[in-house]
Amino acid sequence: MQGGLGEEELQEIRSEATALLLKEDWVQYTNLYTHLISLCNRDDSSANRKTLVSALSNRADGWSRLGNPVAALKDCDLALSIDPAHVKTLISKGKVLMELGQYASALECLRAVKYLGNGGTNETIRGLLEKCQNLEAISRTGMVDLSGWVLSRFAGKVPELADYVGPVEVRTSGHMGRGLFLTKNVDAGSILMITKAVATGRGILSKQSDEQGQMVMWKNFVDKILSTVEKCQKTLDLILKLSNGESYTDLEIPDMSSFKPDLGLCTSGKARTVVDVGHVLKVLDVNTLTEESVSAKVLGLNLGCRTVGLWILPSFVNHSCSPNARRVHVGDWLILHASRDIKAGEEVTFAYVDVLRPLKDRQESLKTWGFECKCARCKFEEKVLGLSRELREIEDGFVKGSDLGCLVVKLEEIMRRCLVKEREKGYIRASFWTAYNSVFESERLVRKWGRKIPGLVQVAQSIFEAVGADERILKLVVSRLKNGGNGGLDEMERMMRLARGTYGKVMKKQAFKALIEAGLAVLS
């Protein structure tokens, strides 16, 4: 006998636990260890304490599998209060803390195991330590290297990332409501945040107009959101801080610490307040992002797969027709980076619509969003179109399909004659990018008009400085340089800067080049 617990009874419980483990029946697995813990608590003998520690550790694993890290951590702490050197419990606690983004605390647990020198766990511990150290570094610095994954053409699992909040804060915005602002100067490609979706909905739709498929995808997404907020009070609180689209005045400015991972994200097991589903649905309607956007790049996802998701902090990013940020999506993770140089105090924005279109087209597209853009670019273009009959004629000619090369030449002549500033030249060139693109894509048009207009790299740089990097422009620059355009060191450096603005500083130069070169097919 072991105190009040017989050896035969203990063996039966262990056998049943093994069977439940193999079946992955975590509810019954956890209940079984709850029963064993109650038996152990009847007797305080040293043998029963050893069994109790093991039972608490195993139940912690069960809680973790059931998505209840609060209960898992509680069992780990109880076990370690009895036996501080219990290796399995230290490993379990380290894993739970990693899952919660508490990497410094997780490292303490894993290093304690390493120092105990248990030979049977060395390889496992080394792997966990390396993983935890990498994630801790990402959460602290925002530095990510996806080079290996990109060079392998996205083979294997999606890289593991960690939440990171860079030099940004939420403030009252001049656009509407609240916005995200820079607290220090950053250059193009700098990572501003890394964050995981509360939930995503994915589906491979047969066509864009597959309404039934879209409805199924949306329902599954909403169900995931509601399931999460019913279990997690902090996530619900964060979602309720987002706009529901009904009022943009007197909105609370959240403290940035509320966006950092902490134990408040855990499921507590207690009953949650009933969720106001109607309010949550309004928030989702306003704040849900689609990965397939002109301001975003999805890495590693099969073509044809459509995705919607809710990312809390990026929901504060407003639209501008002169945006300065882009998104890269890696699995359920969103990496927000500067698409051009940004100064401290400047609002972080990305495009909700295609900004490489004329003013009228952008205004029409924004009607579906329910607001009118009043950024510096839109104000400038409204003013010059109102004052310049020639520009209005060019815009009309663009719509009617006139000789695009001739239109580009006229545009450049007007800008030279009117002494238009460099930033404003970038605005106009971006608005008529389709015309510039048609010229630069055609050897015939380049021969005909090339002497009268700036070179492709100069035009691309001008647009980049005005409205940020864009993958379509990057593709054309790469294509022209590969096909015998002027590919000197200066042009190559400009191309790499454009690449960093397009994809962010998430890979080394070799991977950038591989992605860009493959990009003429893979990035389509």
Side-chain angles (χ1 to χ4, degrees), residues 427-486:
Y427 292 158
I428 293 175
R429 287 165 177 161
S431 289
F432 294 95
W433 168 247
T434 300
Y436 284 91
N437 182 69
S438 296
V439 172
F440 290 125
E441 274 190 332
S442 168
E443 292 288 350
R444 181 183 63 81
L445 291 179
V446 169
R447 285 194 300 269
K448 181 177 180 180
W449 301 108
R451 293 178 180 274
K452 296 184 178 182
I453 62 176
L456 170 59
V457 174
Q458 183 180 341
V459 170
Q461 181 71 17
S462 170
I463 295 174
F464 169 60
E465 299 291 348
V467 302
D470 188 283
E471 190 175 54
R472 292 164 292 180
I473 297 177
L474 175 62
K475 286 182 184 181
L476 184 59
V477 170
V478 172
S479 177
R480 295 299 297 174
L481 291 177
K482 285 184 67 176
N483 291 330
N486 185 2

Side-chain angles (χ1 to χ4, degrees), residues 131-148:
K131 174 182 174 181
C132 192
Q133 287 166 346
N134 290 339
L135 294 177
E136 190 277 332
I138 293 173
S139 70
R140 182 167 38 82
T141 67
M143 295 178 65
V144 176
D145 186 4
L146 304 177
S147 299

Side-chain angles (χ1 to χ4, degrees), residues 87-343:
V87 169
K88 184 178 182 300
T89 304
L90 287 168
I91 294 173
S92 295
K93 184 175 181 180
K95 288 180 177 179
V96 173
L97 289 168
M98 283 174 63
E99 180 186 340
L100 295 172
Q102 305 296 303
Y103 302 113
S105 297
L107 281 172
E108 290 181 10
C109 293
L110 298 175
R111 284 169 178 158
V113 175
K114 182 180 177 182
Y115 296 148
L116 289 172
N118 188 314
T121 61
N122 280 345
E123 186 175 344
T124 301
I125 292 304
R126 277 196 297 270
L128 286 172
L129 272 171
E130 182 179 356
K131 174 182 174 181
C132 192
Q133 287 166 346
N134 290 339
L135 294 177
E136 190 277 332
I138 293 173
S139 70
R140 182 167 38 82
T141 67
M143 295 178 65
V144 176
D145 186 4
L146 304 177
S147 299
W149 190 49
V150 171
L151 289 170
S152 73
R153 300 205 172 192
F154 312 117
K157 293 182 179 179
V158 172
E160 295 190 74
L161 300 177
D163 281 284
Y164 165 75
V165 178
V168 296
E169 64 183 13
V170 178
R171 300 181 196 166
T172 300
S173 171
H175 286 86
M176 64 169 68
R178 301 161 297 184
L180 202 66
F181 291 79
L182 258 290
T183 58
K184 72 173 187 179
N185 297 344
V186 300
D187 60 351
S190 297
I191 305 303
L192 306 180
M193 75 174 72
I194 304 171
T195 182
K196 194 171 186 179
V198 174
T200 58
R202 290 194 169 90
I204 298 179
L205 306 182
S206 57
K207 53 185 178 180
Q208 194 75 12
S209 59
D210 184 357
E211 293 185 6
Q212 184 176 357
Q214 291 180 15
M215 288 177 62
V216 171
M217 183 174 69
W218 179 258
K219 181 182 183 303
N220 291 338
F221 166 63
V222 170
D223 288 345
K224 289 180 183 178
I225 292 288
L226 295 177
S227 175
T228 299
V229 298
E230 285 169 0
K231 297 185 293 184
C232 180
Q233 185 65 44
K234 179 173 180 179
T235 301
L236 176 59
D237 292 342
L238 287 172
I239 288 177
L240 294 179
K241 292 180 188 294
L242 300 178
S243 170
N244 64 2
E246 295 183 348
S247 173
Y248 292 97
T249 59
D250 300 323
L251 294 172
E252 176 190 352
I253 304 299
D255 190 287
M256 293 306 295
S257 63
S258 63
F259 299 106
K260 296 181 178 179
D262 61 39
L263 300 186
L265 288 170
C266 304
T267 304
S268 68
K270 297 178 181 178
R272 296 262 68 89
T273 305
V274 175
V275 176
D276 184 344
V277 176
H279 185 86
V280 171
L281 290 176
K282 289 178 182 178
V283 170
L284 294 180
D285 190 49
V286 175
N287 295 281
T288 298
L289 294 175
T290 59
E291 289 184 351
E292 299 73 36
S293 165
V294 292
S295 61
K297 176 61 189 174
V298 182
L299 294 180
L301 199 63
N302 291 330
L303 294 176
C305 183
R306 296 199 62 201
T307 303
V308 295
L310 179 67
W311 292 266
I312 298 292
L313 191 51
S315 295
F316 289 93
V317 179
N318 288 315
H319 164 83
S320 172
C321 288
S322 178
N324 53 25
R326 288 179 60 84
R327 316 189 308 262
V328 170
H329 292 271
V330 179
D332 285 347
W333 292 91
L334 182 155
I335 304 174
L336 184 72
H337 68 271
S339 62
R340 56 180 171 86
D341 297 348
I342 315 178
K343 294 181 179 179

